[in-house]
Amino acid sequence: MSHALPNEAPKAASTARNVDAAAVARVLGRWAAAAEPPWLHAEVARRMAERLPVIRSQPEAVLQWWAHAGASDALLRQTYPKARQLQVEPTPALLARSRQAGSAPWWSARRWASGGAQVLGEAEVPAAAGGLLWANMVLHAAIDPPALLSQWRRALAVDGFLMFSTLGPDTLRELHALYADLGAGSPGAPLVDMHDIGDMLVHAGFADPVMDQEQLTLTWATPEALLAELRQLGGNADPARAPGLRTPRWHHRLKAALAERAGADGRIAMRFEVVYGHAFNPAPRPAVAAQTAVSLDDMRAMVRAGGRPPRKPSP
């Protein structure tokens, strides 16, 4: 049994997932260098945009979290043409890419129509920066999801709305089964169940979280095409994955096993569980006590709210 030293505060329990941070960094590097964001990200953005009518208010500012990989800029500009767009990126390479993409020449219609987006690093986002925070296909790549949700709540204005999508634990079940048959370890880090994400939202202070999911089946003509797209989508960040580099013989075995799982049409199918969530940011309500400490950000938010109860989104 361990004990804290007399003058040492107890450490908070870690909320980080058991993932390899270096592997996650390599995925972000590939996204920054790729010609386009993953196709699946753009498709999920389109599907998530179909849920935007749930938001009746028109936000003055929209926060696109991990904007380049989210592949949602055109959709959000079309839906909210008068809103200020803020793009948030997690790494210097992605920051540079988004800033370069947004630097239209003086004669560009886009420059005069939208005024361009402000591109920020995650640590640069001010409190209450936007009325809508949009995070498409971000949360499953987060090392510490509860910490990220707390960061999102801080970045949202009071009564602001959060919309996000992520991959759920049923994603690539067929690939996990194939790896188990080959005795090849894990093909990917475990993903968070949507019910646990709902609990995290409540714990972070969001109100009225709503979660749902759908199963998407993608097919490929060849094992090579499948593996190339999976690499574009991410990488294996599971610390329990097989150590070291795979040999050519291993890759041959993997591709042969994938080919054996082709359907009658000759195509190889893999399922993805896509989880959607939304919630809103209520005015802070500090607990009543003999002595209560309220942060300056929370005090400002309560003043802006004028003491009114938090407004719930229209059904």
Side-chain angles (χ1 to χ4, degrees):
M1 180 180 295
S2 61
H3 300 275
L5 297 175
N7 295 323
E8 180 184 21
K11 294 182 179 179
S14 172
T15 55
R17 295 164 59 207
N18 184 27
V19 297
D20 183 342
V24 173
R26 288 193 291 272
V27 171
L28 298 181
R30 286 201 298 275
W31 286 350
E36 299 289 343
W39 172 87
L40 183 59
H41 289 200
E43 174 61 19
V44 172
R46 184 189 66 78
R47 291 167 180 260
M48 188 160 70
E50 294 174 353
R51 293 163 163 78
L52 280 173
V54 73
I55 307 175
R56 298 293 180 87
S57 61
Q58 292 291 311
E60 294 182 3
V62 175
L63 280 162
Q64 300 182 45
W65 210 270
W66 292 20
H68 170 65
S72 308
D73 187 62
L75 284 169
L76 293 172
R77 288 182 187 276
Q78 181 179 5
T79 306
Y80 303 109
K82 297 181 180 179
R84 192 162 49 94
Q85 299 289 332
L86 291 88
Q87 300 182 354
V88 182
E89 298 291 8
T91 68
L94 283 162
L95 270 170
R97 179 179 184 126
S98 289
R99 284 172 177 157
Q100 182 179 15
S103 58
W106 68 268
W107 43 261
S108 169
R110 178 181 173 186
R111 175 174 179 173
W112 299 108
S114 67
Q118 183 181 5
V119 183
L120 303 169
E122 289 181 308
E124 299 172 319
V125 180
L132 170 64
L133 195 153
W134 174 279
N136 181 43
M137 299 291 274
V138 171
L139 200 58
H140 59 264
I143 295 173
D144 193 336
L148 182 58
L149 292 178
S150 296
Q151 192 175 7
W152 287 351
R153 189 184 175 213
R154 178 184 177 277
L156 268 175
V158 169
D159 290 343
F161 211 77
L162 167 67
M163 293 198 73
F164 66 93
S165 62
T166 185
L167 294 178
D170 281 339
T171 296
L172 297 175
R173 284 295 188 192
E174 300 88 348
L175 190 64
H176 282 265
L178 184 151
Y179 267 58
D181 291 344
L182 295 176
S186 167
L191 296 167
V192 183
D193 182 82
M194 73 173 185
H195 300 97
D196 293 330
I197 296 174
D199 292 341
M200 292 177 193
L201 286 166
V202 172
H203 189 266
F206 285 99
D208 294 343
V210 176
M211 307 292 301
D212 66 342
Q213 62 87 27
E214 65 176 334
Q215 300 277 343
L216 302 181
T217 299
L218 304 187
T219 65
W220 294 267
T222 66
E224 290 80 5
L226 183 157
L227 294 173
E229 183 151 3
L230 292 186
R231 179 172 175 79
Q232 185 188 27
L233 281 169
N236 190 346
D238 192 341
R241 67 188 185 276
L245 297 175
R246 298 287 197 179
T247 65
R249 180 177 296 179
W250 150 252
H251 284 286
H252 179 76
R253 286 182 62 211
L254 175 61
K255 288 186 284 189
L258 287 167
E260 289 174 1
R261 283 162 172 76
D265 59 357
R267 299 184 66 86
I268 309 162
M270 293 281 168
R271 287 173 297 173
F272 292 78
E273 179 188 4
V274 182
V275 174
Y276 303 94
H278 64 256
F280 83 100
N281 181 24
R285 288 185 172 181
V288 177
Q291 182 176 0
T292 302
V294 181
S295 73
L296 183 58
D297 286 342
D298 284 352
M299 181 63 72
R300 287 171 176 161
M302 286 187 286
V303 170
R304 283 193 297 270
R308 67 184 185 278
R311 177 174 54 82
K312 295 186 177 181
S314 303

